């Protein structure tokens, strides 16, 4: 009996182990095949995918068509779930994958009709472009359900109990359209808020609150912006009458409305060979995006060769879902992007036909609203039918029960503005050629900074720019009148560009790049950034007489708080000893002052002084902007009024000049108002740090939270999918842009023709599979700011793709 019990116990233990091991074995079976050989029917000649110790592939093929196929293989092996999310986000098909919680998100996304846009883009493409998209799709599908399929479906689909859907050429276009959603305002909310503010506030006050720039401006052409005079008491007097009553009546401005979401921005700069140590031009680029797992970019080296003759040798980052290099070098020219923040979408005030609510008025008369019925598939639920009303100008995006109807005109809705011409960057040989190609590229409009192997540098805009008639595009307008609205697209020769600047330096940091009036006339205002970050980059570059790649790396990691230095001075000049409500308040103020006096002058993880100064400015902004816009916030309590990114100019004017008529009536004088802001900052930090103000170090606020979209659903096990939380230096108004979920999505330094000396950093890892050794490979180096070689290392794994014999 004892022997039988032992056998039974052993059998039970083995059974339990088998049950426990089953998920692991299934997960392991979904790992991609990265060694060996496979026969595939699409290739014209053999191709290889060689991965180094970090999983970075060097993909070699005999033609651009075969290179696209092999790139599709590599992307699908390492990042298919990410590709699927991107195409579904653009198409509004997330609920079919992730369940009913995404139905409302899908409804908002479906109004753009991106599935139809993508189909038309592919239909309009020339035969070569179609062939490349089709080859890429074939490579992806070979991994999903073909010769290169793993023993199990991708692990995410095992977890969701779904089968992945095949890839189509249109899906690559949808991935490109998903970047429009990341980089542009697709809601029109900012224009609506501007319209409400303009309706309520005096015109002079509204204009002063929304300047075109500040003393921080760092354009490539033109000077800094001179601020307008502070509006006088005849415009607004917060100490008297109705303005005083409204300021006292208005609730405190929510802290969430202060600066809006983190900017999808970037840094890019170049130094001409005449100003570098070795005579070669240098390019640096770090694109600032949301940080998530899997990471947005995929490193790769892409090579085509006819025998021994190399036709193209590209290195940099690709976007899973697209078959071309996004940013990097082709050995002759290197390029980097920053988001331009032009105005690429307009809200159109739609005038409904008073005789028929199903029609609206145009220059030609009454026209019926279009109705598009969208069926939203739902995982674990019944399909949902959703109707989208459309106009000739775009879909209806705001249709309140009472009030005007608004449609959205957006470049992303126009197939003519979208194409795969970015692939032409791969074959340019000089900066001149790249600047000539850039205006023809159909992508979200970007500032492009480029350098070539001859030591030259240049800047221009990439993407299609709408040609507007004469109207104020910052607020909704009616396009009913003939000749109003968008009249077509800007001609390539009209694009601003700068080649071989006299200074030998170029810089771009999401700010205004040319003279203010010229910039506004060509691009409009899409919320371009305050110039503080760009100015810090410019000044650092101009201080270099013989620049090196190490200098570029150091500037990318520059976390000096130059922007906040003057706010520190304001705080330290406050009479903190002034009698307060109690001794505890005076004690907290004194401690805050002591910590600020010893700050590091950087956004350093161990520095509480930086945190205090930052929060002090934030509270000053909150209180001042809140009182200046009180009338609008009282009339429209549900609206969100976010200060212009250029509001730092007016804010600083008030702090310096302290006009009595614009002082919040809750305070007797400006010192008292600023002390109240300091007290609010201390209270805010104390609520987050019960252990005391000394614990409010910047790293406690700026801790990386880089998460996988499925990790939350897995509870504690989900932490296994996320990158480790770690305090990081850097902040918003400095070159090292960093937040908990936002920051440098890559850091590139390269001299064209000297790629072997190039540097690269990227968060996350190459693979999206948690059992892959490449899942976190390279992430720690990004956290530490330690660059890795730009070129992939020695091949550790080789997958050979061979044409199927006829």
């Amino acid at each position: 009996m004892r022997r039988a019990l032992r056998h039974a116990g052993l059998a039970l233990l083995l059974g339990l182990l088998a049950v426990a091991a089953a998920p692991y074995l299934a997960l392991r079976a979904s790992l991609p095949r990265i060694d060996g050989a496979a026969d595939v029917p699409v290739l014209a000649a053999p191709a290889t995918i060689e991965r180094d110790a970090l999983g970075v592939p060097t993909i070699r093929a005999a033609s651009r068509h075969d290179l696209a196929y092999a790139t599709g293989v590599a992307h699908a092996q390492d990042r298919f779930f990410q590709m699927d999310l991107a195409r579904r986000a653009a198409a509004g098909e997330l609920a079919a994958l992730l369940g009913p919680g995404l139905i409302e998100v899908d409804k908002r996304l479906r109004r753009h009709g991106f599935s139809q846009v993508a189909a038309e883009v592919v239909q309009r493409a020339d035969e070569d472009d179609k062939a490349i998209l089709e080859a890429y799709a074939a490579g992806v599908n070979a991994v999903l359900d073909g010769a290169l399929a793993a023993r199990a479906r991708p692990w995410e689909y095992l977890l969701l109990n779904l089968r992945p859907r095949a890839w189509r050429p249109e899906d690559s276009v949808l991935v490109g359209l998903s970047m429009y959603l990341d980089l542009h305002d697709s809601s029109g909310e900012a224009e609506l808020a501007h319209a409400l503010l303009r309706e309520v506030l005096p015109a002079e006050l509204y204009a002063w609150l929304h300047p075109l720039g500040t003393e921080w401006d760092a354009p490539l052409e033109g000077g800094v912006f001179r601020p307008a005079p502070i509006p006088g008491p005849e415009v607004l007097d917060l100490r008297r009458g109705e303005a005083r009553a409204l300021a006292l009546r208005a609730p405190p401005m929510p802290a969430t409305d202060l600066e809006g979401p983190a900017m999808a921005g970037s840094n890019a700069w170049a130094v001409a060979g005449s100003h570098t140590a070795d005579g070669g031009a240098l390019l640096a680029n770090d694109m600032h995006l949301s940080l998530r797992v899997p990471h947005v970019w995929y490193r790769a080296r892409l090579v085509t060769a006819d025998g021994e003759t190399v036709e193209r040798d590209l290195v940099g980052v690709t976007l899973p879902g697209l078959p071309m290099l996004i940013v990097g070098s082709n050995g002759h020219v290197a390029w980097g992007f920053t988001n331009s923040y032009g105005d690429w979408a307009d809200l159109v005030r739609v005038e409904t036909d008073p005789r028929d609510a199903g029609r609206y008025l145009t220059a030609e008369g009454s026209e019926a609203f279009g109705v598009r019925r969208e069926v939203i598939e739902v995982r674990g639920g019944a399909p949902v039918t959703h109707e989208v009303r459309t106009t000739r100008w775009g879909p209806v995006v705001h249709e309140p029960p009472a009030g005007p109807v608004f449609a959205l005109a957006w470049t992303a809705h126009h197939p003519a503005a979208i194409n795969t011409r970015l692939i032409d960057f791969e074959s340019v040989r000089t900066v001149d050629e790249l600047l000539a190609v850039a205006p023809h590229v159909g992508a979200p409009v970007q500032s492009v900074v480029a350098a070539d192997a001859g030591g030259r540098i240049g800047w221009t805009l990439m993407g299609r720019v709408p040609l507007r008639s004469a109207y104020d595009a910052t607020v909704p307008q009616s396009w009913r009148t003939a000749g109003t609205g968008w009249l077509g697209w800007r001609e390539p020769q009209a694009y601003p560009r700068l080649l071989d600047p006299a200074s030998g330096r170029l810089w771009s940091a999401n700010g205004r790049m040319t003279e203010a009036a010229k910039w506004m006339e060509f691009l409009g205002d899409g919320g371009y950034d305050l110039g503080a970050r760009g100015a810090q980059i410019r000044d650092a570059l101009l201080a270099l007489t013989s620049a090196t790649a190490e200098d570029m790396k150091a500037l990318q990691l520059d976390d000096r708080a130059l922007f906040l230095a003057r706010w520190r001075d304001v705080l330290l000049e406050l009479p903190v000893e002034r009698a307060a409500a109690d001794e505890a308040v005076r004690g907290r103020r004194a401690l805050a002052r002591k910590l600020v006096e010893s700050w590091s002058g950087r956004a350093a993880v161990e520095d509480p002084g930086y945190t205090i100064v930052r929060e002090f400015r934030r509270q000053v902004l909150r209180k001042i902007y809140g009182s200046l816009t009180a009338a609008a916030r009282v009339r429209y309590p549900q609206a969100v009024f976010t200060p212009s990114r250029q509001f730092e100019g007016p804010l600083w004017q008030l702090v310096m000049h302290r006009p009595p008529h614009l002082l919040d009536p809750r305070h007797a004088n400006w010192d008292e108002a600023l002390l109240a802001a300091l007290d609010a900052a201390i209270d805010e930090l104390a609520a987050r740090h019960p252990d005391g103000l000394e614990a409010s170090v910047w790293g406690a606020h700026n801790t990386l939270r880089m998460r996988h979209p499925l990790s939350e659903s897995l509870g504690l096990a989900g932490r296994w999918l996320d990158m480790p939380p770690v305090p990081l230096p850097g902040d918003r108004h400095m070159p090292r842009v960093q937040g908990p979920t936002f920051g440098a999505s890559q850091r590139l330094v390269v001299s064209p023709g000297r790629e072997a000396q190039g540097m690269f950093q990227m968060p996350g890892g190459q693979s999206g599979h948690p059992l892959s050794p490449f899942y976190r490979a390279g992430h720690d180096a990004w956290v530490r700011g330690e660059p890795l070689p730009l070129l992939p290392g020695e091949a550790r794994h080789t997958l050979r793709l061979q044409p199927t014999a006829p």
Side-chain angles (χ1 to χ4, degrees), residues 225-246:
F225 186 82
R226 294 188 176 184
I230 297 172
E234 73 282 0
V235 176
L236 180 70
D237 190 344
L238 295 176
R239 313 296 289 185
R240 299 175 183 274
E242 184 182 10
R244 171 187 169 86
L246 289 170

Side-chain angles (χ1 to χ4, degrees), residues 135-180:
Y136 180 84
V140 173
N141 292 328
V143 173
L144 296 182
D145 194 25
L148 293 162
R151 289 175 294 147
R153 74 190 86 159
W155 72 270
E156 299 93 341
Y157 301 88
L158 290 172
L159 182 66
L160 296 168
N161 195 27
L162 294 172
R163 297 203 68 84
R165 193 178 70 197
W167 197 260
R168 308 165 303 155
E170 294 85 348
D171 293 327
S172 290
V173 180
L174 286 170
V175 170
L177 286 166
S178 73
M179 294 304 293
Y180 282 84

Side-chain angles (χ1 to χ4, degrees), residues 89 91-96 98-112 376-378 384-388:
E93 297 176 352
L94 292 169
L98 300 175
L102 278 299
I103 292 174
E104 293 305 314
V105 173
D106 278 353
K107 286 181 179 179
R108 290 195 297 272
L109 293 167
R110 287 290 179 103
R111 63 194 181 191
H112 300 301
I376 298 173
E377 300 293 334
V378 181
V384 174
T385 300
H386 176 59
E387 289 191 351
V388 177

Side-chain angles (χ1 to χ4, degrees), residues 44-297:
T48 60
I49 303 173
E50 301 170 346
R51 287 176 169 88
D52 70 4
L54 298 177
V56 180
T58 296
I59 304 173
R60 303 180 190 274
S63 68
R64 192 62 186 83
H65 174 277
D66 287 359
L67 185 65
Y69 179 91
T71 303
V73 169
H75 281 172
Q77 286 186 320
D78 289 331
R79 301 286 192 86
F80 180 76
F81 183 65
Q82 172 188 352
M83 296 162 58
D84 196 15
L85 284 180
R87 68 171 170 182
R88 288 178 181 274
E93 297 176 352
L94 292 169
L97 186 69
L98 300 175
L102 278 299
I103 292 174
E104 293 305 314
V105 173
D106 278 353
K107 286 181 179 179
R108 290 195 297 272
L109 293 167
R110 287 290 179 103
R111 63 194 181 191
H112 300 301
F114 279 162
S115 291
Q116 294 88 339
V117 172
E120 187 171 344
V121 169
V122 173
Q123 183 179 4
R124 294 162 62 106
D126 63 32
E127 292 306 314
D128 288 343
D129 289 346
K130 283 182 184 176
I132 287 175
L133 291 174
E134 288 167 355
Y136 180 84
V140 173
N141 292 328
V143 173
L144 296 182
D145 194 25
L148 293 162
R151 289 175 294 147
R153 74 190 86 159
W155 72 270
E156 299 93 341
Y157 301 88
L158 290 172
L159 182 66
L160 296 168
N161 195 27
L162 294 172
R163 297 203 68 84
R165 193 178 70 197
W167 197 260
R168 308 165 303 155
E170 294 85 348
D171 293 327
S172 290
V173 180
L174 286 170
V175 170
L177 286 166
S178 73
M179 294 304 293
Y180 282 84
L181 292 169
D182 283 347
L183 299 174
H184 293 176
D185 174 16
S186 60
S187 69
E189 296 291 347
E191 281 193 26
L192 282 178
H194 285 163
L196 298 180
L197 276 177
R198 179 174 288 188
E199 172 193 330
V200 176
L201 301 183
E204 187 177 337
L205 176 64
Y206 175 87
W208 180 72
L209 292 174
H210 297 84
L212 297 182
T214 73
E215 67 274 24
W216 289 102
D217 286 356
L220 295 176
E221 297 178 324
V224 299
F225 186 82
R226 294 188 176 184
I230 297 172
E234 73 282 0
V235 176
L236 180 70
D237 190 344
L238 295 176
R239 313 296 289 185
R240 299 175 183 274
E242 184 182 10
R244 171 187 169 86
L246 289 170
L248 292 173
R249 178 181 165 193
M253 184 176 175
T256 53
D257 295 354
L258 289 179
E259 294 191 87
M263 291 189 69
S266 305
N267 298 327
W269 62 81
V271 181
S274 55
H275 291 76
T276 64
D278 62 6
L282 283 166
L283 174 88
N285 182 216
D286 48 295
M287 296 182 282
H288 310 147
L289 295 169
S290 296
L291 302 177
R292 52 185 179 263
V293 182
H295 187 52
V296 59
W297 306 122

Side-chain angles (χ1 to χ4, degrees), residues 442-722:
V445 179
Q446 303 288 292
S447 274
V448 186
V449 177
D452 67 23
R456 303 176 67 203
I457 60 176
W459 164 84
T460 191
L461 294 171
M462 176 191 82
R464 303 298 301 277
V465 175
L467 177 63
R468 289 181 169 92
S469 60
Y471 64 91
D472 182 358
T474 64
V475 293
Q477 304 285 351
S478 170
W479 287 10
R480 176 186 173 186
T481 305
T484 304
W486 291 3
L487 308 179
W489 305 98
R490 296 277 187 178
E491 293 297 327
Q493 59 268 25
Y495 279 52
R497 64 183 63 190
L498 184 58
L499 184 64
D500 298 327
S503 69
R505 285 89 161 177
L506 292 169
W507 55 89
S508 178
N510 311 115
R512 174 173 63 85
M513 299 293 286
T514 64
E515 188 273 327
K518 180 180 176 182
W519 186 256
M520 289 294 295
E521 190 275 333
F522 193 85
L523 282 86
D525 182 3
Y528 53 84
D529 201 11
L530 182 71
R533 175 163 48 94
Q536 191 162 333
I537 292 169
R538 175 202 61 197
D539 294 346
L541 290 175
L542 293 176
L544 296 172
T545 57
S546 187
T548 66
E550 284 291 332
D551 294 327
M552 305 297 98
K553 180 201 75 171
L555 183 51
Q556 288 179 327
L557 301 176
D558 182 6
D559 58 7
R560 291 175 298 151
L562 303 186
F563 169 70
L564 285 181
R566 65 185 189 179
W567 285 97
R568 173 181 180 263
D569 294 341
V570 170
L571 191 158
L572 291 178
E573 290 169 3
L574 289 178
V576 296
E577 302 85 0
R578 178 173 291 178
D582 55 46
E583 186 177 342
V585 172
R586 293 195 298 272
R588 288 198 297 270
R589 289 178 181 174
L591 176 58
R593 178 173 185 150
K594 178 181 177 182
L595 293 172
V596 168
E597 284 176 336
S598 61
W599 86 328
S600 64
R602 297 178 175 273
V605 295
E606 71 283 355
D607 192 343
Y610 176 84
T611 312
I612 295 167
V613 175
R614 185 184 193 273
E615 186 61 27
F616 168 66
R617 174 189 173 269
R618 189 166 172 267
Q619 293 297 336
V620 173
L621 186 155
R622 174 174 174 254
K623 290 177 177 295
I624 289 180
Y625 190 80
S627 63
L628 294 174
T629 59
R633 293 190 301 109
V634 168
R635 184 176 299 185
Y636 297 106
Q638 303 304 316
V640 176
F641 298 115
T642 302
S644 160
R645 290 192 172 107
Q646 310 305 317
F647 181 65
E648 174 70 13
L651 180 65
W652 190 249
Q653 283 180 277
L654 292 179
V655 171
M656 287 294 97
H657 298 287
R658 305 188 181 189
H661 64 286
L662 295 183
L663 173 65
D664 189 319
R666 295 174 179 84
H667 305 295
N669 55 63
W670 276 94
D671 275 350
E672 183 180 302
L674 293 173
L675 283 169
L678 175 60
D679 291 339
I682 293 170
D683 290 343
E684 175 70 22
L685 296 177
R688 299 188 205 176
H689 304 282
D691 293 338
L693 204 54
E694 299 94 329
S696 62
V697 296
W698 179 235
H701 295 255
N702 208 43
T703 297
L704 181 68
R705 295 195 300 272
M706 191 170 172
R707 307 198 65 187
H708 193 284
L710 297 180
S711 67
E712 189 172 344
S713 64
L714 295 178
L716 291 176
R719 296 179 184 176
W720 178 50
L721 298 177
D722 302 334

